[in-house]
Structures are given as structure tokens and as C-alpha cells.
Amino acid sequence: MKTIASASNTLLLVLSSCGVGSLTNAFMSPQQSTYTPLSYQRNTPLTHLPSPSNDAQPQSSSSSSSTCLHLAELSGGITEVWNSYLDALEANPLLVKSITAGVILGAADLSGQAIQQAIATNNDDNMELSTNNNNSNSVDIARFLRFAFFGFILQAPWNHFYYQILDGALPPTEDPFTSTTAIKVVIDQFIQAPIFTVIIFGFLGVLEGKSLDSIKEQLDEDYVDTMLANWKLWVPATAVNIAFCPPILRVLFLNVVFFFWSIFLSLKLNKD
């Protein structure tokens, strides 16, 4: 051990005498060392590498700075919009939820119409669809407005007051995985959802001008399939919503999931 220590000291003396002070400091104890890797890397020239051209480095630095600046501005803009939305949601919860639902469900129907048009265009073997292609290529504004109105006047208010009643009867728990969460999911999906689905069929049918007999016929034909599809999507979505979302954001989360569900409803209710 004495031999190793002596050899180490000799090596340090040699390196120091050669002017490699920073390397000498690297072998010193942490209390004595003044070696800073970042400072060393930043200030020590890399003479073994080819020097960049005079204008290459400024361009790279400028491009990097510009990218970072744009990202910072984008992040700041998104944060500002989100904070403004939360402020509006706290000030006027029902109105903001209704407007949000109207926009999302209207966009969902437009997506559903686009899917229908793509199916009709690709189905060249079906003469009826081919004959109606001229009409299917345009947006059905009335249908779009029906879904947007449904989101604004029914879907958002229904869920706004429903969650108030549900959370009032069974207050949220800090632990997401409790019997309370399970009970609320069961109530939501096996009591509330079947009732609300009937209301959706009836509400959109009336807006479309269908008779009560026609609405009943559509329920007899499509209700069971709709509920089976509903449970595949909404049981896990409702569990996440109730377990993890703050009460004020529950309808917003529901609206986001409802975008995809509304595409299904749009196709189901307008399959003819």
C-alpha cells in the first residue's frame, strides 16, 4: 500500500510539473479539488477536432435558440389558455361545460359524416350508395347542428347535475380504489347510462322529425347493441373519471371520451 501511495504521489507531481493542473485537481479529495467538469468542457478548446466554419456555429446556435424560444412561447400559450379555461369553468361551470360539449359533439358528428362518406365512396359495388354519392359528398349541416345542440342543451347539463347529485350522495374519496368508487361506477353504468341512452335516442329522433313509433322501432332494433358497446367503452372510462378526475373536470373528461362515443352514435343513428 505504501508503494502504491508513493507511486500515486509521484504521478501527481509529474502531471503537475507538466502543467496539467486540472487533471491534478481531479485526483485530489473533494474538499481540496476545484475541478469543475462543465467549466472544463466549456472553456477548454478541443484542438484535436476540426474547427467549425466561421458562420456554422452562429447559425446552429441561432437555430437552437429560436427553436427553444418557439417551444417556450407555445408552452406558455397553452398554459395561458388552460388557465383561462379553468377560470371560466369555476366562474360559470354549467355554461362552459355546455359550450364545450356542443363543440366536441358537433365535431364528433362531422367526423362521423366523414367516415360515412369514405365508406360510401369505397363501396363501389353497392348501387344505392353509388347513386347517393352526390348527396353524401356534402356536409349535412342539420345533422351537425342536432348533435351540437344535443351536447349544449342536454348532454352537458344532464351530467353536470347528475355528478353533483352522485358526489353529494357518495362524496369523493382520497384513495381512488375504494368501495365508494366501485358503487358509483355501478350506479353510473347500470342505472344512469341505460336511462340516458333512451333519452339520447328520443331527443335526437325528435330533432330529426321522427315519429314516436319510429323512435320506438329504432330502440327495439339498436338499443341492446348500443348498450353492449357503451359498457365496453364507458365502464373503464367511468372508473378512471370517478377515481382520478377532480369533480370540476369530470364533465370535461366525459366530453373528451364522448367525442368518440358520439361518432359511434352518429353512425348508428344515421346508418340509413
Side-chain angles (χ1 to χ4, degrees):
M1 294 296 295
K2 291 182 179 181
T3 303
I4 294 173
S6 176
S8 176
N9 290 333
T10 302
L11 177 60
L12 290 176
L13 290 174
V14 171
L15 291 173
S16 177
S17 64
C18 292
V20 190
S22 58
L23 289 176
T24 306
N25 289 332
F27 285 93
M28 297 169 62
S29 64
Q31 294 81 1
Q32 296 175 337
S33 176
T34 59
Y35 173 68
T36 54
L38 292 178
S39 175
Y40 173 80
Q41 294 173 3
R42 184 170 54 248
N43 296 329
T44 304
L46 300 176
T47 55
H48 61 285
L49 295 176
S51 300
S53 60
N54 292 334
D55 54 353
Q57 186 172 356
Q59 287 179 358
S60 176
S61 177
S62 175
S63 175
S64 176
S65 299
S66 176
T67 301
C68 291
L69 180 61
H70 288 318
L71 289 175
E73 290 176 349
L74 178 61
S75 176
I78 293 173
T79 301
E80 184 177 353
V81 170
W82 175 246
N83 289 335
S84 298
Y85 180 83
L86 292 179
D87 291 340
L89 189 60
E90 291 180 356
N92 299 288
L94 180 57
L95 178 61
V96 173
K97 291 174 185 178
S98 296
I99 293 174
T100 304
V103 171
I104 290 176
L105 269 63
D109 179 69
L110 291 178
S111 300
Q113 291 191 44
I115 293 172
Q116 278 187 315
Q117 290 174 14
I119 294 173
T121 301
N122 292 330
N123 194 352
D124 295 330
D125 295 332
N126 191 318
M127 294 301 297
E128 182 179 352
L129 287 176
S130 298
T131 302
N132 293 331
N133 261 347
N134 291 333
N135 295 329
S136 67
N137 287 332
S138 59
V139 175
D140 187 341
I141 299 298
R143 174 176 154 182
F144 159 74
L145 291 176
R146 285 196 299 270
F147 266 81
F149 183 70
F150 159 67
F152 178 82
I153 207 70
L154 179 61
Q155 193 266 348
W158 172 280
N159 286 288
H160 171 77
F161 292 112
Y162 161 72
Y163 276 117
Q164 283 189 340
I165 295 171
L166 184 64
D167 287 335
L170 297 169
T173 57
E174 292 186 4
D175 184 359
F177 305 105
T178 63
S179 58
T180 299
T181 299
I183 293 170
K184 291 167 84 169
V185 171
V186 170
I187 293 172
D188 186 282
Q189 283 304 296
F190 297 97
I191 298 177
Q192 182 270 154
I195 296 172
F196 190 49
T197 300
V198 173
I199 294 174
I200 292 173
F201 273 77
F203 184 86
L204 292 174
V206 169
L207 289 181
E208 195 174 347
K210 293 180 178 179
S211 65
L212 293 180
D213 289 338
S214 178
I215 293 172
K216 183 178 182 303
E217 182 181 347
Q218 189 170 36
L219 280 168
D220 291 339
E221 183 179 350
D222 295 329
Y223 181 75
V224 173
D225 289 342
T226 300
M227 287 309 305
L228 292 175
N230 170 90
W231 288 323
K232 291 177 183 179
L233 172 66
W234 282 106
V235 168
T238 301
V240 171
N241 195 10
I242 292 176
F244 298 104
C245 288
I248 196 171
L249 295 179
R250 282 188 181 156
V251 176
L252 176 60
F253 176 86
L254 184 147
N255 285 337
V256 173
V257 181
F258 219 97
F259 173 84
F260 302 98
W261 180 241
S262 293
I263 293 176
F264 170 83
L265 289 177
S266 178
L267 296 173
K268 193 76 170 175
L269 297 176
N270 297 279
K271 60 185 177 182
D272 295 333

